[in-house]
Amino acid sequence: MEKGQENVEILWKEVMAKVEERLNDNRAYDIWLRPVKIKGISANKVQLEIPGTTFEKGFIPYIGLIREIFEDIAGWKPEIEISYTGEEKRTTPPSPTPTIEYETSLNPSYTFDNFVVGPKNQLAHAAAQAVAQSPGIAYNPLFLYGGFGLGKTHLMQAIVHFIQERDEKNILYLPADVYLNEFIQSIKNKTTHLFRQRFRKLDFLLIDDIHFIAGKEGTQEEFFHTFNFLYDQRKQIILSSDRPPKEISFLEKRLVSRFEWGLLVEVLPPDFETRVAILKKKCEIKKIVLDDEIIYYITENVKDNVRILEGVLNRLFALSTLLSQEIDKKVVDEIIDGEYYNKRVVVTLDSVMSAVCDYFKIKEDDIVKNTRIKNILLPRQIGMFLGRELTGSSLHSIAIKFGGKDHTTVLYAYKKIKTLYQNDQYIKGIIDEIRSTLER
Ligand code: ADP
Ligand code: MG
């Protein structure tokens, strides 16, 4: 067997072993999964071969689980392409929802040790450690919020690992959708009392992506009582969401107010240095060797989302080991484009102008017209500098936009700010900050 194909088989075996373990249903596994063969892996697809159309119906519900486990192991979520033994291939719908229940398992690498701390997440990190060390006292509830892929789940699971290693505490981590589903199941099975009991025994309850229960009246009601019960017993509650409680639409007022009782902490996108450190850490964990040049290149091009940062790394790894492909900037570009469904943001002179005005709390008119006011000079020159750095506009149009006399004004400003950027930490900080709002 060719080396590439051999690696593919090994990876597939590993995936299927995990699937079997998670399913915990030998019969279903034997019937629907054992016969599936892997044919190959391409940049974003996994090609599977199954016995036939009748089989397909039974197999499809497991696709979601396979993709998820594949992601756990290989680090990216592939499309699944199915062909029947001896027939033409066809692609299945992108992400059929799995209808089979399985336990949520923790990611063993989401530990405090593996979490890289930087200025944008240090508060969240410190708060997570504080509640793990002195539960029920320091901050209750702890409410972590922030954009997708910034480490909230990682921190929550780090708390779980930390506790499980040290204490005999009852601790439960659940994504909110699992909480919701289990609650619904319990209604169906007339076992809501058991469902309730399970939560009331806990010392720690962590619900990830709590915004998911917004608008689901019954679940909110149930959670409200569980929350009160645990809170009164001084048990630690930790929640995460993509936004602060007040901004979660359809979340009941009484829950909003309870979520605000403790500590709200925002997790922000990491700065450049932290991103580099995260990438290096992930390389270390996954035993991937990458040139610094490539690491910096990825870091410069993926700014607002650590999950994508990591996704890029995993795809690179897969390409280089499974397909023995050389890693250069071109390959990285392709992968980033693929990972980044949001695409890279295009910065315009207008957006530079409004970012500068926002930062300095001044009006656009002041920048353009009040050329003599002293505290306008720096913002204007920074605007010109960023306009030149980030937009590809001509010196002429930058001059017009920022009220400069002509292109020489822009050139002068550009050189001056560039020197300041290199020599003055304070100015560098300002510029980086404005730039980070632009490139998000
Ligand atoms: P969220 O729950 O905020 O959407 P996750 O916790 O799932 O984000 O993080 C996405 C990925 O990024 C995970 O693999 C996580 O390990 C990684 N990650 C995020 N922040 C950090 C960090 N500061 N250090 C190390 N890894 C991080
Ligand atoms: Mg999460």
Side-chain angles (χ1 to χ4, degrees), residues 360-381 402-403 416:
F360 290 103
K361 310 269 176 290
I362 51 181
K363 293 198 212 79
E364 202 164 306
D365 250 16
D366 289 338
I367 288 208
V368 183
K369 292 185 189 138
N370 293 330
T371 44
R372 292 222 174 131
I373 300 180
K374 211 162 163 224
N375 65 357
I376 296 293
L377 186 63
L378 183 68
R380 174 188 299 116
Q381 292 183 329
F402 290 91
K416 186 180 143 198

Side-chain angles (χ1 to χ4, degrees), residues 3 17 24 27 48 75 81 89 94 104 110-111 113 142 211 232-234 268 288 300 304 322 344 353 428 440:
K3 181 92 185 109
N24 206 5
R27 224 174 91 81
L48 300 179
E81 191 172 81
K89 65 183 173 206
T104 42
Y110 288 0
T111 58
D113 276 349
L142 172 62
H211 52 268
D232 289 343
Q233 313 272 319
R234 297 183 157 252
L268 291 160
I288 306 173
E300 269 158 24
D304 51 357
L322 297 175
R344 277 174 251 180
M353 175 64 105
K428 177 177 186 297
R440 224 181 269 154

Side-chain angles (χ1 to χ4, degrees), residues 107 109-110 114-118 121 146-155 208-209 240 274 278 281-282 305-307 310:
N107 187 326
S109 72
Y110 288 0
N114 288 339
F115 191 82
V116 178
V117 185
N121 60 26
F148 175 72
L150 298 181
K152 301 182 297 294
T153 297
H154 186 136
L155 279 177
D208 206 350
D209 295 317
S240 84
T274 314
I278 292 174
K281 185 104 203 176
K282 301 280 174 189
N305 189 319
V306 183
R307 182 168 305 162
E310 204 179 350

Side-chain angles (χ1 to χ4, degrees), residues 292-422:
D292 274 359
E293 198 193 352
I294 297 288
I295 292 198
Y296 292 144
Y297 190 70
I298 300 171
T299 310
E300 269 158 24
N301 286 290
V302 181
K303 303 198 160 157
D304 51 357
N305 189 319
V306 183
R307 182 168 305 162
I308 293 186
L309 205 61
E310 204 179 350
V312 170
L313 189 68
N314 290 325
R315 300 275 297 263
L316 278 177
F317 180 62
L319 281 186
S320 70
T321 56
L322 297 175
L323 308 176
S324 313
Q325 202 167 334
E326 196 77 39
I327 300 302
D328 55 18
K329 287 190 180 167
K330 198 171 144 273
V331 175
V332 176
D333 272 338
E334 278 169 22
I335 292 180
I336 290 177
D337 284 343
E339 286 290 308
Y340 240 103
Y341 36 86
N342 300 338
K343 286 172 225 86
R344 277 174 251 180
V345 187
V346 183
V347 180
T348 62
L349 285 182
D350 286 341
S351 56
V352 171
M353 175 64 105
S354 62
V356 169
C357 290
D358 266 6
Y359 183 87
F360 290 103
K361 310 269 176 290
I362 51 181
K363 293 198 212 79
E364 202 164 306
D365 250 16
D366 289 338
I367 288 208
V368 183
K369 292 185 189 138
N370 293 330
T371 44
R372 292 222 174 131
I373 300 180
K374 211 162 163 224
N375 65 357
I376 296 293
L377 186 63
L378 183 68
R380 174 188 299 116
Q381 292 183 329
I382 289 181
M384 290 176 174
F385 171 79
L386 288 174
R388 175 121 199 258
E389 280 273 307
L390 304 177
T391 70
S393 309
S394 69
L395 295 175
H396 178 70
S397 40
I398 297 175
I400 292 176
K401 181 78 195 173
F402 290 91
K405 239 195 325 215
D406 53 27
H407 71 277
T408 53
T409 326
V410 180
L411 266 185
Y412 173 80
Y414 180 79
K415 284 193 193 130
K416 186 180 143 198
I417 298 296
K418 186 155 189 171
T419 315
L420 279 176
Y421 185 86
Q422 285 155 352

